[in-house]
Coordinates of all heavy atoms in Angstrom, one line a residue:
C1 N 79.1 107.1 85.0 CA 79.5 105.7 85.3 C 78.9 105.3 86.6 O 79.0 106.1 87.6 CB 81.0 105.7 85.4 SG 81.6 104.0 85.7
T2 N 78.3 104.2 86.7 CA 77.6 103.7 88.0 C 78.3 102.5 88.5 O 78.6 101.6 87.7 CB 76.2 103.3 87.7 OG1 75.5 104.3 87.1 CG2 75.5 102.9 88.9
A3 N 78.7 102.5 89.7 CA 79.4 101.5 90.4 C 78.4 100.4 90.8 O 77.3 100.7 91.3 CB 80.2 101.9 91.6
V4 N 78.6 99.1 90.5 CA 77.9 98.0 90.9 C 78.5 97.1 91.9 O 79.7 96.8 91.6 CB 77.3 97.2 89.6 CG1 76.5 96.1 90.0 CG2 76.6 98.1 88.6
S5 N 77.9 96.9 92.9 CA 78.6 95.9 93.9 C 77.7 94.7 94.1 O 76.5 94.8 94.0 CB 78.8 96.6 95.2 OG 77.6 97.0 95.9
K6 N 78.4 93.6 94.3 CA 77.7 92.3 94.6 C 78.6 91.5 95.3 O 79.8 91.7 95.4 CB 77.3 91.6 93.3 CG 78.4 91.2 92.3 CD 77.9 90.5 91.1 CE 79.1 90.1 90.3 NZ 78.7 89.3 89.1
M7 N 78.0 90.5 96.0 CA 78.9 89.6 96.8 C 79.5 88.6 95.9 O 78.9 88.0 95.0 CB 77.9 88.8 97.8 CG 78.6 87.7 98.6 SD 79.8 88.5 99.8 CE 78.7 89.2 101.0
L8 N 80.8 88.5 96.0 CA 81.6 87.5 95.2 C 81.6 86.2 96.0 O 82.1 86.2 97.2 CB 83.0 88.0 95.0 CG 83.0 89.2 94.2 CD1 84.6 89.6 94.0 CD2 82.4 89.1 92.8
R9 N 81.3 85.1 95.4 CA 81.3 83.8 96.1 C 82.4 82.9 95.4 O 83.1 82.1 96.1 CB 80.0 83.1 96.0 CG 78.9 83.9 96.7 CD 77.7 83.0 97.0 NE 76.6 83.8 97.5 CZ 76.5 84.1 98.8 NH1 77.4 83.8 99.6 NH2 75.5 84.8 99.2
T10 N 82.6 83.0 94.2 CA 83.5 82.2 93.4 C 84.5 83.0 92.6 O 84.0 83.8 91.7 CB 82.9 81.1 92.6 OG1 82.0 80.3 93.3 CG2 83.8 80.1 91.9
V11 N 85.7 82.9 92.7 CA 86.8 83.6 91.9 C 87.6 82.6 91.3 O 88.2 81.8 91.8 CB 87.6 84.5 92.9 CG1 88.7 85.3 92.0 CG2 86.8 85.5 93.6
A12 N 87.7 82.8 90.0 CA 88.5 81.9 89.1 C 89.9 82.6 88.8 O 89.8 83.9 88.7 CB 87.8 81.7 87.7
V13 N 90.9 81.9 88.9 CA 92.3 82.4 88.6 C 93.0 81.8 87.6 O 93.0 80.6 87.5 CB 93.1 82.4 90.0 CG1 94.5 83.0 89.7 CG2 92.4 83.1 91.1
V14 N 93.6 82.4 86.6 CA 94.5 81.9 85.5 C 95.7 82.8 85.5 O 95.6 84.0 85.2 CB 93.7 81.8 84.2 CG1 94.6 81.4 83.1 CG2 92.5 81.0 84.2
G15 N 96.9 82.2 85.7 CA 98.1 82.9 85.6 C 98.4 83.2 84.2 O 98.0 82.6 83.2
G16 N 99.2 84.3 84.0 CA 99.6 84.8 82.6 C 98.5 85.4 81.8 O 97.7 86.0 82.3
A17 N 98.5 85.2 80.5 CA 97.5 85.8 79.6 C 96.3 84.9 79.6 O 96.2 84.1 78.6 CB 98.1 86.1 78.3
G18 N 95.4 84.9 80.5 CA 94.2 84.1 80.6 C 92.9 84.7 80.2 O 91.9 84.1 80.5
G19 N 92.9 85.9 79.7 CA 91.7 86.6 79.4 C 90.6 85.9 78.5 O 89.5 86.0 78.7
D20 N 91.1 85.0 77.7 CA 90.2 84.2 76.8 C 89.5 83.1 77.6 O 88.6 82.5 77.0 CB 90.9 83.7 75.6 CG 92.2 82.8 75.9 OD1 92.8 83.0 77.0 OD2 92.6 82.0 75.1
Y21 N 89.8 83.0 78.9 CA 89.0 82.0 79.7 C 88.0 82.6 80.5 O 87.3 81.9 81.3 CB 90.1 81.2 80.6 CG 91.0 80.3 79.8 CD1 92.4 80.7 79.5 CD2 90.6 79.2 79.2 CE1 93.1 80.0 78.8 CE2 91.4 78.4 78.5 CZ 92.7 78.8 78.3 OH 93.6 78.0 77.5
A22 N 87.9 84.0 80.6 CA 87.1 84.7 81.5 C 85.6 84.2 81.4 O 84.8 83.9 82.4 CB 87.2 86.1 81.2
L23 N 85.0 84.2 80.2 CA 83.5 83.8 80.1 C 83.3 82.4 80.3 O 82.3 81.9 80.9 CB 83.1 84.3 78.7 CG 83.0 85.8 78.5 CD1 82.5 86.1 77.1 CD2 82.3 86.6 79.5
A24 N 84.3 81.5 80.0 CA 84.2 80.1 80.4 C 84.3 79.9 81.9 O 83.5 79.1 82.4 CB 85.4 79.3 79.7
A25 N 85.0 80.7 82.6 CA 85.0 80.7 84.0 C 83.7 81.1 84.6 O 83.1 80.5 85.5 CB 86.1 81.5 84.6
Q26 N 83.1 82.1 84.0 CA 81.8 82.5 84.4 C 80.7 81.4 84.1 O 79.9 81.2 85.1 CB 81.4 83.8 83.7 CG 80.1 84.4 84.2 CD 79.6 85.6 83.6 OE1 79.7 85.7 82.3 NE2 79.1 86.6 84.2
A27 N 80.9 80.8 83.1 CA 79.9 79.8 82.7 C 80.0 78.6 83.7 O 79.0 77.9 84.0 CB 80.2 79.2 81.3
K28 N 81.1 78.4 84.3 CA 81.3 77.3 85.4 C 81.0 77.9 86.7 O 81.1 77.1 87.8 CB 82.7 76.9 85.4 CG 83.2 76.2 84.1 CD 82.7 74.8 84.1 CE 83.1 74.0 82.9 NZ 82.7 72.7 82.9
G29 N 80.5 79.1 86.9 CA 80.0 79.6 88.2 C 80.8 80.7 88.8 O 80.5 81.1 90.0
A30 N 81.8 81.2 88.2 CA 82.7 82.3 88.7 C 82.0 83.6 88.7 O 81.4 83.9 87.7 CB 84.0 82.4 88.0
D31 N 82.0 84.4 89.8 CA 81.6 85.7 89.8 C 82.6 86.7 89.5 O 82.3 87.8 89.2 CB 81.1 86.0 91.4 CG 80.1 85.0 91.9 OD1 79.1 84.9 91.2 OD2 80.4 84.4 92.9
A32 N 83.9 86.3 89.6 CA 85.0 87.1 89.4 C 86.1 86.3 88.7 O 86.2 85.1 88.9 CB 85.5 87.8 90.6
F33 N 87.0 87.0 88.0 CA 88.0 86.4 87.2 C 89.3 87.1 87.4 O 89.3 88.4 87.2 CB 87.6 86.3 85.8 CG 88.7 85.5 85.0 CD1 88.7 84.1 85.1 CD2 89.5 86.1 84.1 CE1 89.5 83.4 84.2 CE2 90.4 85.4 83.3 CZ 90.4 84.0 83.4
V34 N 90.4 86.6 87.8 CA 91.7 87.2 88.0 C 92.7 86.5 87.1 O 92.8 85.3 87.1 CB 92.2 87.0 89.4 CG1 93.6 87.7 89.6 CG2 91.2 87.6 90.4
T35 N 93.4 87.4 86.3 CA 94.4 86.8 85.4 C 95.5 87.8 85.2 O 95.3 89.0 85.8 CB 93.7 86.4 84.1 OG1 94.8 85.7 83.3 CG2 93.2 87.6 83.2
G36 N 96.4 87.6 84.5 CA 97.6 88.4 84.3 C 97.5 89.4 83.2 O 98.1 90.5 83.2
E37 N 96.7 89.0 82.2 CA 96.8 89.9 80.9 C 95.4 89.6 80.2 O 95.0 88.5 80.1 CB 97.8 89.5 80.0 CG 98.2 90.4 78.9 CD 99.4 90.0 78.2 OE1 100.4 89.6 78.8 OE2 99.4 90.1 76.9
V38 N 94.8 90.8 79.8 CA 93.4 90.7 79.2 C 93.5 91.6 77.9 O 93.9 92.7 78.1 CB 92.3 91.1 80.1 CG1 90.9 90.8 79.6 CG2 92.5 90.6 81.5
K39 N 92.9 91.2 76.9 CA 92.8 92.0 75.7 C 91.4 92.9 75.8 O 90.6 92.6 76.7 CB 92.5 91.2 74.4 CG 93.8 90.3 74.1 CD 93.6 89.4 73.0 CE 94.9 88.6 72.7 NZ 94.6 87.5 71.8
H40 N 91.5 94.0 75.1 CA 90.4 95.0 75.2 C 89.1 94.4 75.0 O 88.1 94.6 75.8 CB 90.6 96.2 74.3 CG 89.6 97.1 74.3 ND1 89.5 98.1 75.2 CD2 88.6 97.4 73.4 CE1 88.5 98.9 75.0 NE2 87.9 98.5 73.9
H41 N 88.9 93.6 74.0 CA 87.6 93.0 73.6 C 87.2 92.0 74.7 O 86.0 91.7 74.9 CB 87.5 92.3 72.3 CG 88.4 91.0 72.1 ND1 89.8 91.1 71.9 CD2 88.1 89.8 72.3 CE1 90.3 89.9 71.8 NE2 89.2 89.1 72.1
E42 N 88.1 91.3 75.4 CA 87.8 90.4 76.6 C 87.3 91.2 77.7 O 86.4 90.7 78.4 CB 89.0 89.6 76.9 CG 89.4 88.7 75.8 CD 90.9 88.1 76.0 OE1 91.7 88.7 76.8 OE2 91.2 87.1 75.3
V43 N 87.8 92.4 77.9 CA 87.3 93.2 79.0 C 85.9 93.7 78.7 O 85.0 93.5 79.6 CB 88.2 94.5 79.2 CG1 87.6 95.5 80.3 CG2 89.6 94.1 79.7
I44 N 85.6 94.1 77.5 CA 84.3 94.6 77.1 C 83.2 93.4 77.3 O 82.2 93.5 77.9 CB 84.2 95.0 75.8 CG1 85.2 96.2 75.6 CG2 82.8 95.4 75.2 CD1 84.9 97.4 76.4
A45 N 83.7 92.2 76.8 CA 82.8 91.0 77.0 C 82.5 90.7 78.4 O 81.3 90.4 78.8 CB 83.4 89.8 76.3
A46 N 83.5 90.8 79.3 CA 83.3 90.5 80.7 C 82.3 91.6 81.3 O 81.5 91.2 82.1 CB 84.7 90.5 81.4
Q47 N 82.6 92.8 80.9 CA 81.6 93.8 81.5 C 80.2 93.6 81.1 O 79.3 93.7 81.9 CB 82.2 95.1 81.0 CG 83.4 95.7 81.6 CD 83.8 97.1 81.0 OE1 83.6 97.4 79.8 NE2 84.5 97.9 81.8
Q48 N 80.0 93.3 79.8 CA 78.7 93.0 79.3 C 78.1 91.8 79.9 O 76.8 91.8 80.2 CB 78.7 92.9 77.8 CG 79.0 94.1 77.1 CD 79.2 93.9 75.5 OE1 79.4 92.8 75.1 NE2 79.1 95.1 74.8
A49 N 78.9 90.9 80.4 CA 78.4 89.6 81.0 C 78.2 89.8 82.5 O 77.7 88.9 83.1 CB 79.3 88.5 80.7
G50 N 78.7 90.9 83.1 CA 78.5 91.2 84.5 C 79.6 90.5 85.3 O 79.3 90.1 86.5
L51 N 80.7 90.2 84.8 CA 81.8 89.4 85.4 C 82.7 90.4 86.0 O 83.3 91.2 85.2 CB 82.4 88.4 84.4 CG 83.6 87.6 85.0 CD1 83.1 86.7 86.1 CD2 84.3 86.9 83.8
A52 N 83.0 90.3 87.2 CA 84.1 91.2 87.8 C 85.4 90.7 87.2 O 85.7 89.5 87.3 CB 84.1 91.1 89.3
L53 N 86.4 91.5 86.8 CA 87.6 91.2 86.2 C 88.7 91.9 86.8 O 88.6 93.2 87.0 CB 87.4 91.4 84.7 CG 88.7 91.1 83.8 CD1 88.8 89.6 83.7 CD2 88.4 91.6 82.4
Y54 N 89.8 91.3 87.1 CA 91.0 91.9 87.6 C 92.2 91.5 86.9 O 92.5 90.3 86.8 CB 91.2 91.6 89.1 CG 92.4 92.4 89.7 CD1 92.4 93.7 89.9 CD2 93.5 91.6 90.0 CE1 93.4 94.4 90.5 CE2 94.7 92.3 90.6 CZ 94.6 93.6 90.8 OH 95.7 94.2 91.4
E55 N 92.9 92.4 86.2 CA 94.2 92.2 85.6 C 95.4 92.4 86.4 O 95.7 93.5 86.8 CB 94.2 93.1 84.3 CG 95.4 92.7 83.4 CD 95.4 93.5 82.1 OE1 94.9 94.7 82.1 OE2 95.9 93.0 81.1
A56 N 96.0 91.4 86.8 CA 97.1 91.5 88.0 C 98.4 91.5 87.5 O 99.4 91.6 88.2 CB 96.9 90.3 88.9
G57 N 98.7 91.4 86.1 CA 100.0 91.4 85.5 C 100.5 90.0 85.2 O 100.5 89.2 86.0
H58 N 101.0 89.9 83.9 CA 101.3 88.7 83.4 C 102.5 88.0 84.2 O 102.3 86.8 84.6 CB 101.8 88.9 81.9 CG 101.9 87.6 81.1 ND1 101.2 87.3 80.0 CD2 102.7 86.6 81.3 CE1 101.6 86.2 79.6 NE2 102.5 85.7 80.4
Y59 N 103.6 88.8 84.4 CA 104.7 88.1 85.0 C 104.4 87.7 86.5 O 104.7 86.6 86.9 CB 105.8 89.2 85.0 CG 107.0 88.8 85.8 CD1 108.0 87.9 85.2 CD2 107.3 89.2 87.1 CE1 109.1 87.5 86.0 CE2 108.4 88.8 87.9 CZ 109.2 88.0 87.3 OH 110.4 87.6 87.9
H60 N 103.7 88.6 87.2 CA 103.5 88.3 88.6 C 102.5 87.3 88.8 O 102.5 86.6 90.0 CB 103.0 89.6 89.3 CG 104.2 90.6 89.2 ND1 105.3 90.5 90.0 CD2 104.3 91.7 88.6 CE1 106.2 91.5 89.7 NE2 105.5 92.3 88.8
T61 N 101.6 87.0 87.9 CA 100.6 85.9 88.1 C 101.2 84.5 87.7 O 100.7 83.5 88.1 CB 99.4 86.1 87.2 OG1 99.7 86.2 85.9 CG2 98.5 87.4 87.8
E62 N 102.3 84.5 86.9 CA 103.0 83.3 86.6 C 104.0 82.9 87.7 O 104.3 81.7 87.8 CB 103.6 83.4 85.2 CG 102.7 83.3 84.1 CD 103.3 83.2 82.7 OE1 104.5 83.5 82.7 OE2 102.5 83.0 81.8
L63 N 104.6 83.8 88.4 CA 105.6 83.6 89.3 C 105.3 82.5 90.4 O 106.2 81.7 90.6 CB 105.9 85.0 90.0 CG 107.3 85.2 90.6 CD1 108.4 84.9 89.7 CD2 107.4 86.6 91.2
P64 N 104.1 82.6 91.0 CA 103.9 81.5 92.0 C 103.9 80.0 91.5 O 104.0 79.1 92.3 CB 102.5 81.9 92.5 CG 102.3 83.2 92.1 CD 103.1 83.4 90.9
Y65 N 103.7 79.8 90.2 CA 103.6 78.5 89.7 C 104.9 77.9 89.2 O 105.0 76.8 88.8 CB 102.7 78.5 88.5 CG 101.3 78.9 88.8 CD1 100.8 80.2 88.7 CD2 100.4 78.0 89.4 CE1 99.5 80.6 89.0 CE2 99.1 78.4 89.8 CZ 98.7 79.7 89.6 OH 97.5 80.0 89.9
R66 N 106.0 78.6 89.3 CA 107.3 78.1 88.8 C 107.7 76.8 89.6 O 108.1 75.9 88.9 CB 108.4 79.2 88.9 CG 108.0 80.4 88.0 CD 109.2 81.4 88.1 NE 109.6 81.7 89.4 CZ 110.7 82.3 89.8 NH1 111.6 82.6 88.9 NH2 111.0 82.5 91.0
E67 N 107.6 76.9 90.9 CA 108.1 75.7 91.6 C 107.2 74.5 91.4 O 107.7 73.4 91.3 CB 108.1 76.0 93.1 CG 109.2 77.0 93.5 CD 110.6 76.5 93.4 OE1 110.8 75.2 93.3 OE2 111.6 77.2 93.2
R68 N 105.9 74.7 91.3 CA 105.0 73.6 91.0 C 105.3 73.0 89.6 O 105.2 71.8 89.4 CB 103.5 74.1 91.0 CG 103.2 74.4 92.5 CD 101.7 74.9 92.5 NE 100.8 73.7 92.3 CZ 99.6 73.8 92.3 NH1 98.9 74.9 92.6 NH2 98.8 72.7 92.1
L69 N 105.5 73.9 88.6 CA 105.8 73.4 87.3 C 107.2 72.6 87.3 O 107.2 71.5 86.7 CB 106.0 74.5 86.3 CG 106.3 74.2 84.9 CD1 105.4 73.2 84.3 CD2 106.5 75.4 84.0
K70 N 108.1 73.0 88.0 CA 109.4 72.3 88.1 C 109.1 70.9 88.8 O 109.7 69.9 88.3 CB 110.4 73.0 89.0 CG 111.6 72.3 89.1 CD 112.6 72.9 90.2 CE 113.9 72.3 90.3 NZ 113.8 70.8 90.5
A71 N 108.3 70.9 89.9 CA 108.0 69.6 90.5 C 107.3 68.7 89.6 O 107.7 67.5 89.5 CB 107.2 69.8 91.8
Y72 N 106.4 69.1 88.7 CA 105.7 68.3 87.8 C 106.7 67.8 86.7 O 106.7 66.6 86.3 CB 104.6 69.1 87.2 CG 104.0 68.4 85.9 CD1 103.0 67.4 86.1 CD2 104.4 68.7 84.5 CE1 102.5 66.7 85.0 CE2 103.9 68.0 83.6 CZ 102.9 67.0 83.8 OH 102.4 66.4 82.7
L73 N 107.5 68.7 86.2 CA 108.5 68.2 85.1 C 109.5 67.3 85.7 O 109.9 66.3 85.0 CB 109.2 69.5 84.6 CG 108.3 70.4 83.8 CD1 109.0 71.7 83.4 CD2 107.8 69.7 82.5
D74 N 109.9 67.5 87.0 CA 110.9 66.6 87.6 C 110.3 65.1 87.6 O 111.0 64.1 87.3 CB 111.2 66.9 89.1 CG 112.2 68.1 89.1 OD1 112.8 68.4 88.0 OD2 112.2 68.8 90.1
T75 N 109.0 65.0 87.8 CA 108.3 63.7 87.9 C 108.1 63.2 86.5 O 108.3 62.0 86.2 CB 107.0 63.8 88.6 OG1 107.3 64.3 89.9 CG2 106.3 62.5 88.7
A76 N 107.6 64.1 85.6 CA 107.3 63.7 84.2 C 108.5 63.4 83.4 O 108.4 62.6 82.4 CB 106.4 64.8 83.5
C77 N 109.7 63.9 83.7 CA 110.8 63.7 82.8 C 112.0 63.3 83.7 O 113.0 64.0 83.9 CB 111.2 65.1 82.1 SG 109.9 65.7 81.1
P78 N 112.0 62.1 84.2 CA 113.1 61.6 85.1 C 114.5 61.6 84.3 O 114.4 61.4 83.1 CB 112.7 60.2 85.5 CG 111.6 59.8 84.6 CD 111.0 61.0 84.0
G79 N 115.5 62.1 84.9 CA 116.8 62.1 84.3 C 117.1 63.5 83.7 O 118.2 63.8 83.2
V80 N 116.1 64.3 83.6 CA 116.3 65.7 83.1 C 116.4 66.6 84.3 O 115.4 66.6 85.1 CB 115.1 66.1 82.1 CG1 115.4 67.6 81.6 CG2 115.1 65.1 80.9
E81 N 117.3 67.5 84.3 CA 117.5 68.5 85.4 C 116.7 69.8 85.1 O 117.0 70.4 84.0 CB 118.9 68.8 85.7 CG 119.1 69.8 86.9 CD 120.5 70.0 87.3 OE1 121.4 69.7 86.4 OE2 120.7 70.7 88.2
F82 N 115.8 70.2 85.9 CA 115.1 71.6 85.7 C 115.6 72.5 86.8 O 115.6 72.1 88.0 CB 113.6 71.3 85.7 CG 113.2 70.5 84.5 CD1 113.0 69.2 84.7 CD2 112.9 71.1 83.4 CE1 112.5 68.4 83.7 CE2 112.4 70.4 82.3 CZ 112.3 69.1 82.4
I83 N 115.8 73.7 86.4 CA 116.3 74.6 87.5 C 115.4 75.9 87.4 O 115.2 76.4 86.3 CB 117.7 75.1 87.2 CG1 118.7 73.8 87.3 CG2 118.2 76.2 88.2 CD1 120.1 74.2 86.8
V84 N 114.9 76.4 88.5 CA 114.1 77.7 88.5 C 115.1 78.8 88.8 O 115.9 78.8 89.8 CB 113.1 77.5 89.7 CG1 112.3 78.9 89.8 CG2 112.1 76.4 89.4
S85 N 115.0 79.8 88.0 CA 116.0 81.0 88.1 C 115.7 81.7 89.4 O 114.6 81.8 89.8 CB 115.8 81.9 86.9 OG 116.4 83.1 87.1
E86 N 116.8 82.1 90.0 CA 116.7 82.9 91.2 C 117.0 84.4 91.0 O 117.1 85.1 91.8 CB 117.6 82.3 92.3 CG 117.2 80.9 92.7 CD 118.2 80.4 93.8 OE1 119.0 81.2 94.4 OE2 118.1 79.1 93.9
S87 N 117.4 84.7 89.7 CA 117.9 86.0 89.4 C 117.0 86.8 88.4 O 117.4 87.7 87.9 CB 119.3 85.9 88.8 OG 119.3 85.2 87.6
E88 N 115.9 86.2 88.0 CA 115.1 86.8 87.0 C 114.4 88.0 87.5 O 114.2 88.2 88.7 CB 114.1 85.8 86.4 CG 112.8 85.6 87.1 CD 111.9 84.7 86.4 OE1 112.1 83.4 86.4 OE2 110.9 85.1 85.8
R89 N 114.1 89.0 86.6 CA 113.3 90.2 86.8 C 112.1 90.3 86.0 O 112.2 89.8 84.8 CB 114.2 91.3 86.7 CG 115.3 91.4 87.8 CD 116.3 92.4 87.6 NE 115.8 93.6 86.9 CZ 116.5 94.6 86.4 NH1 117.7 94.5 86.3 NH2 115.9 95.7 85.8
P90 N 111.1 91.0 86.4 CA 110.0 91.3 85.4 C 110.6 92.0 84.1 O 111.4 92.8 84.1 CB 109.1 92.3 86.2 CG 109.5 92.2 87.5 CD 110.9 91.7 87.6
P91 N 110.1 91.6 82.9 CA 110.5 92.2 81.7 C 110.2 93.6 81.5 O 110.8 94.4 80.8 CB 109.9 91.3 80.6 CG 108.7 90.8 81.3 CD 108.9 90.5 82.8
M92 N 109.1 94.1 82.3 CA 108.7 95.5 82.3 C 108.7 96.0 83.6 O 108.3 95.4 84.5 CB 107.3 95.6 81.7 CG 107.3 95.2 80.2 SD 105.6 95.5 79.5 CE 104.9 94.0 80.0
E93 N 109.3 97.2 83.8 CA 109.3 97.8 85.0 C 108.7 99.2 85.0 O 108.8 99.9 84.1 CB 110.8 97.9 85.6 CG 111.5 96.7 85.8 CD 112.9 96.7 86.3 OE1 113.2 97.7 86.9 OE2 113.7 95.8 86.0
T94 N 108.1 99.6 86.2 CA 107.4 100.9 86.3 C 108.6 101.9 86.5 O 109.4 101.8 87.4 CB 106.4 101.0 87.3 OG1 105.5 99.9 87.1 CG2 105.7 102.3 87.3
L95 N 108.6 103.0 85.8 CA 109.6 104.1 86.0 C 109.1 105.1 87.0 O 107.9 105.4 87.2 CB 110.0 104.8 84.7 CG 110.5 103.9 83.7 CD1 110.7 104.8 82.4 CD2 111.8 103.4 84.1

């Protein structure tokens, strides 16, 4: 196995399971792609295309967007109350 290093200039980020957007991000100029969940064939395709790929965990890549989503929904749906949970935990934990 040979390590290849290159300067990264543009990193695309998609929270959650965004592996199917990796090559589209590269086509738009991304040198690297960060997402929460990637399928095996998406990893292979990224490797073959020379795209740096980082799988950061589905739950943890969606966590930062909760407040932004609530703010959007508050504006888009006046009269409806949206609450962001303060007690949730990741569905999978490392033992």
